[in-house]
Amino acid sequence: MKIFFITSNDGKVREAKALLEPLGVEVIKKTIEYPEIQAGSLEEVVEFGAKWLAEILDGPFMIEDSGLFIEALNGFPGVYSAYVYKTIGLDGILKLLSDVENRRAYFKSVIGYYDGKLHIFKGIVWGRISTEKRGIHGFGYDPIFVPDGYEKTFAEMTTEEKNAISHRGKALKEFHRWLKENLKY
Ligand code: IMP
């Protein structure tokens, strides 16, 4: 089966393809700018975006919204992750945490699949913010995030290694389980 992934982020598409295509789901990237509202939760952002896209798209599609939540910063940047990445960036985050002992943080991914109804799938991975940027793979905050149980950052992992433990990998696996049960493709 084919799934349209509405996003402009090649990193997200690479991860979705690596995980879903061996399972028989073809992922097709489609770039359509849709409103990402400034809301209190990723779920609300996905809900609004999916309903907006449903008005202009015919077939089923998926979207995804994610964020990095840092414990010592009360969950910041969270729903503001994209804006913070573009403005203060990784160096800005490392600076904010320079004298901070508690470096606990988690990534969260929320996938919305719309087929006339909205279905939501979520994944979380806990870890810590490193003291310096490391690695060249992945995208976004990957060079400063070390998942629990590892010494490497996400950016020092292959797509397959990251997918096996990441927030998006977990949400994608849950999505795939649902597809198999409900669509029996
Ligand atoms: P959005 O989901 O496209 O709104 O992304 C939120 C922000 O978090 C962007 O700056 C992304 O680069 C970043 N981000 C989302 N997922 C990941 C990830 O898996 N690793 C690193 N950064 C991510």
Side-chain angles (χ1 to χ4, degrees), residues 12 36 65-66 81-82 85 107 139-142 162 167-168:
K12 291 184 180 183
E36 288 198 29
D65 203 51
S66 34
S81 293
Y85 180 77
F107 267 122
F139 65 97
Y141 296 96
D142 281 346
K162 180 183 169 190
H167 51 312
R168 186 165 304 102

Side-chain angles (χ1 to χ4, degrees), residues 41 66 86 151 177:
S41 71
S66 34
K86 278 185 237 140
E151 293 304 322
R177 247 192 314 273

Side-chain angles (χ1 to χ4, degrees), residues 6 17 22 33 84 109 118 137 151 154 166:
I6 314 300
K17 277 180 179 285
E33 295 291 334
V84 168
S109 161
L118 181 61
H137 303 297
E151 293 304 322
F154 269 163
S166 78

